[in-house]
Every structure is written in structure tokens, then in C-alpha cells.
Amino acid sequence: MATRLVQIHMKARDDSALGRFWAEVLDWGVDSEEPGVTNLEPVGFVYPGATAVCIDVVADPQPKTVKNRVHIDLATTSAAHQADLVARLRELGATPADVGQGDVPWTVLADPEGNEFCVLEPRPIYRDTGPMAAVVLDCADPRAMARFWDEAMDWTLHEVTDDHAVLRSAKDVGPYLVFHRTPDVKTVWNRAVRPRVHLDLRPYPGDDQEAEAARLRALGATGIDVGQGDVPWTVLADPEGNEFCVLTPA
């Protein structure tokens, strides 16, 4: 059994507006699954697939109150491309964001609902990822997170150090998943401060969702109640308390 990362779940007070913003950012298509849910994926993409991690923007009236633990890094091909992209994103409604990054070669912005993201300087590792270079998750212990997530998914662990861990799909396509050590550690899940962005995993066709959730619990995940009620997905938290969902097999 195995799962794979298929999408980023992003909450928004206005899912349609935020969906349009990210569709413009990534040059992706927009599809409304139902009222309050806006799906984003590359044009012509067959979901689920390894070449992209899609985005589900879901309506939620609560405002963003804390820095997200999960953010998107955008790829660029040259210094000019980076500058042009930053300018275009600001025209679309992005604003500069200070997360304590200091003097760095990448640019930190926030989308219209305050979700942080980075426009990276050109990096050879991201030359074939498409517009989304990486999905980045802040953590206290990249080595421990690598152990859990390497077992949780069928993605390949490319690198692990005290400061970061890097995974990519088993087919070596699409964006990377990066665990980056930061001092603002999440140690306890807090229902009053729910994350605005989390990861969604999906088992493969023919696998058993409940058995997969049990396997993840044995690896160190815990079941959590976020008020989800009777839903077809299972909500868990990784060993550092980061919420994620196990969707139905597909």
C-alpha cells in the first residue's frame, strides 16, 4: 500500500477569487467542483498524476491569523524572468511579505488572502518542475519528518540534512516536497487556530482507505477532529502536528 501527494488544500473567504489568482499565477485551468470549492490544475492534466500537485481552494469564513506552515515556491528561469514574474504577481494582487527572511535571493509575497509564497531565483534543480517548483512545509526536525513522509508516500527521498529534507514523485516529475527547519515550531494541534493550507494524500485504485490510514497511524500519525463530521476522507496529523487528509482511492 502507498499514498501519493495529489493536492494542496487552501482555505479562502472567497474561493472563486483566490482560485482565479492562483490560476493566473500558474497558468492553470479553473473548475468549480461545487459551490464553495474551486479546483485548479494544469490544462489537459489527467487527475491524479505525478506531473502536478493540484490546488483545491475551499471556502471558509475564518480569516488567516498565523503564518502558514505550508507554502508554494515558484520556479523561474532567469533573473529577468524572476523580476518580471514578481511584477506581474503584484499587478494580480500579491503583496510583499516579511517572514523574517532577511537578505535572500528569492522574493516573498502573499496572495490576496495573505498566504505566503516565494518566487525563487533560478535554480537548476527546478528547471523541469513547471511553474510550481516545490511545496514547502516548515518543521522542527527535517530528519524525523523525512522518516515519516518517506514511509507515508511512494515518493523518493532525494536529500536529508539537519536543515531540510527533499522528496519528489517516484517518477521524478512535477514539484518537489521540501521540509525546511524553522524556529516557529508547531508542537500541538490547536482547533482554534486551524491551518489555512494543508496537504491531501490519495491511495491508489484498489487500495483500502481505512487500512492506509491505519498504516499511517502506525508510522506516527494521529487522528484529529477538526469538526469535519461525516466525510469520505480521513483527517490525520503528522508527528509534528501538521494536519493532512487521506482521500478516497483513485
Side-chain angles (χ1 to χ4, degrees):
M1 293 188 297
T3 62
R4 73 277 204 205
L5 175 60
V6 293
Q7 62 199 34
I8 300 165
H9 176 112
M10 186 180 296
K11 299 186 187 304
R13 283 174 287 178
D14 186 337
D15 64 286
S16 295
L18 192 62
R20 288 193 299 271
F21 171 83
W22 279 101
E24 289 284 346
V25 170
L26 299 167
D27 194 25
W28 283 7
V30 180
D31 177 49
S32 294
E33 179 178 318
E34 58 185 78
V37 181
T38 299
N39 307 120
L40 308 177
E41 59 185 42
V43 176
F45 179 74
V46 179
Y47 177 91
T51 58
V53 173
C54 300
I55 300 176
D56 258 16
V57 186
V58 180
D60 188 307
Q62 299 301 316
K64 180 178 181 289
T65 57
V66 296
K67 176 180 176 290
N68 291 327
R69 298 296 308 284
V70 180
H71 74 263
I72 294 170
D73 280 353
L74 300 178
T76 63
T77 57
S78 67
H81 179 207
Q82 183 186 17
D84 289 346
L85 181 56
V86 169
R88 185 172 73 86
L89 296 176
R90 295 192 64 174
E91 289 178 357
L92 290 173
T95 54
D98 185 354
V99 295
Q101 67 268 24
D103 185 15
V104 292
W106 58 89
T107 301
V108 184
L109 299 174
D111 70 20
E113 293 217 3
N115 300 301
E116 305 86 2
F117 66 98
C118 296
V119 182
L120 301 179
E121 76 285 3
R123 300 184 188 182
I125 189 175
Y126 297 139
R127 66 185 181 277
D128 64 346
T129 60
M132 185 187 294
V135 180
V136 182
L137 198 153
D138 295 344
C139 68
D141 187 344
R143 293 187 183 276
M145 293 292 273
R147 285 192 294 272
F148 173 79
W149 285 93
D150 186 36
E151 292 290 336
M153 304 191 300
D154 69 350
W155 283 30
T156 301
L157 181 63
H158 282 245
E159 182 181 7
V160 59
T161 70
D162 290 341
D163 293 320
H164 66 269
V166 180
L167 298 91
R168 200 183 193 191
S169 81
K171 296 183 178 180
D172 204 29
V173 295
Y176 288 80
L177 177 62
V178 178
F179 295 94
H180 176 69
R181 185 170 66 85
T182 59
D184 53 334
V185 180
K186 175 173 182 175
T187 55
V188 178
W189 183 83
N190 184 348
R191 184 167 179 171
V193 187
R194 285 196 61 192
R196 301 292 287 174
V197 184
H198 70 253
L199 307 181
D200 284 345
L201 309 184
R202 193 179 289 277
Y204 285 88
D207 283 349
D208 185 281
Q209 182 185 15
E210 292 185 6
E212 187 60 31
R215 185 183 72 86
L216 295 171
R217 290 189 187 95
L219 292 173
T222 53
I224 58 174
D225 181 0
V226 297
Q228 66 267 27
D230 184 17
V231 293
W233 56 86
T234 301
V235 185
L236 300 174
D238 71 16
E240 288 202 8
N242 299 295
E243 174 188 330
F244 68 96
C245 294
V246 181
L247 308 179
T248 55

